[in-house]
Amino acid sequence: MTSGEAIAINVAVDAPLTENLTYLQNEAFTVERGDVVYVTLGRRKTLGVVTKTNLSVPENLPYQLKPVVSLHEQWPRISETHMQWLEWISEYYLHPLGQVLQLCFPPLLKTEKARASKRSAVIPDIEMTIGHALNEDQNRCVDAISRKKGFSTHLLHGVTGAGKTEIYLELFEKTLKEGKRGVFLLPEISLTPQLINRFARRFGNEIAVLHSQLTDRERTNQWWDM
């Protein structure tokens, strides 16, 4: 492409479309793959994610391409690793990529006024306490898991009340001390309150929670806390 030549980009829009749409690069700013942008779709403005950049404008189009309207004012660029993962999800589940990509972000815009008083509705205000000492079996599990470097899977077997949660808490604490983060997944939403209390007692306001019973504002606030 020569200097001054129009540049096209592909965008996966938030609509039930199986193919990405083509727009013109806005001359006022540059977009990269993974950027969340506003584009015109018909008579309305919609969200989309840039999938390809620096394309030649197709010849003999029966319509005129429209430029990207603007970048999203809050949502960050999706990393290449996550873009490839989301494209795989779209293909595997036969769901439009643009709609899959929207699920990466919270439903509302961030507002500092709402964030100030939101935590008590989701995470109780509990004073942090020190975890109890692990028993021999618990220490053996923690040591065996900690010796593994990189990604690995482990099956922790034990009846209810055997002390599995304390092992999870200990491993999370070791992970945080290494400057990393962790995700704890629960199979049933009914288990959420008791686990929130356990984690809040150990980690205070360092935790954030997402589940289907949160309001859109709570979900948005928790997303930004993460």
Side-chain angles (χ1 to χ4, degrees):
M1 288 178 284
T2 60
S3 178
E5 182 179 352
I7 300 174
I9 64 172
N10 282 354
V11 177
V13 298
D14 185 13
L17 301 175
T18 57
E19 295 185 2
N20 300 333
L21 302 183
T22 303
Y23 291 87
L24 290 177
Q25 168 75 65
N26 194 310
E27 295 181 357
F29 56 90
T30 301
V31 297
E32 301 291 341
R33 174 171 157 85
D35 279 338
V36 184
V37 295
Y38 288 102
V39 294
T40 302
L41 184 62
R43 296 183 178 180
R44 65 185 179 91
K45 187 172 71 171
T46 189
L47 282 171
V49 178
V50 178
T51 58
K52 292 183 180 179
T53 61
N54 298 319
L55 303 175
S56 297
V57 176
E59 298 181 356
N60 304 319
L61 285 176
Y63 52 87
Q64 185 176 1
L65 293 179
K66 299 178 180 179
V68 172
V69 176
S70 62
L71 286 165
H72 194 282
E73 59 268 34
Q74 292 185 0
W75 294 350
R77 178 181 300 160
I78 301 174
S79 69
E80 180 59 28
T81 299
H82 284 116
M83 283 293 294
Q84 294 180 20
W85 175 57
L86 294 165
E87 287 168 337
W88 177 88
I89 290 175
S90 171
E91 181 178 355
Y92 184 85
Y93 290 103
L94 303 177
H95 196 73
L97 177 60
Q99 294 184 327
V100 171
L101 290 165
Q102 303 308 315
L103 299 176
C104 297
F105 300 104
L108 303 175
L109 293 178
K110 175 172 60 174
T111 58
E112 293 301 327
K113 182 178 181 180
R115 284 171 56 82
S117 60
K118 62 85 182 74
R119 290 200 63 90
S120 60
V122 180
I123 300 173
D125 186 12
I126 298 176
E127 184 177 350
M128 293 177 63
T129 60
I130 301 174
H132 67 75
L134 302 183
N135 61 34
E136 183 178 346
D137 289 336
Q138 290 170 327
N139 274 315
R140 187 183 303 114
C141 290
V142 170
D143 291 341
I145 295 173
S146 299
R147 284 197 295 269
K148 295 289 185 178
K149 303 301 180 183
F151 177 80
S152 60
T153 58
H154 307 269
L155 174 61
L156 188 59
H157 180 70
V159 299
T160 301
K164 298 185 297 295
T165 301
E166 195 62 33
I167 295 174
Y168 305 146
L169 293 170
E170 187 72 17
L171 290 169
F172 265 80
E173 186 165 340
K174 290 170 66 69
T175 300
L176 293 176
K177 287 180 179 178
E178 294 172 358
K180 302 175 182 178
R181 293 176 292 177
V183 177
F184 191 90
L185 303 179
L186 281 173
E188 295 289 343
I189 194 171
S190 61
L191 300 173
T192 305
Q194 66 188 63
L195 266 297
I196 289 177
N197 285 330
R198 292 289 298 275
F199 273 78
R201 287 191 176 95
R202 179 69 74 92
F203 303 111
N205 61 4
E206 293 183 76
I207 67 175
V209 179
L210 281 181
H211 57 71
S212 60
Q213 296 299 308
L214 300 182
T215 65
D216 284 349
R217 173 49 57 197
E218 288 171 336
R219 187 183 302 275
T220 299
N221 291 332
Q222 293 297 303
W223 190 93
W224 283 106
D225 277 351
M226 293 179 187

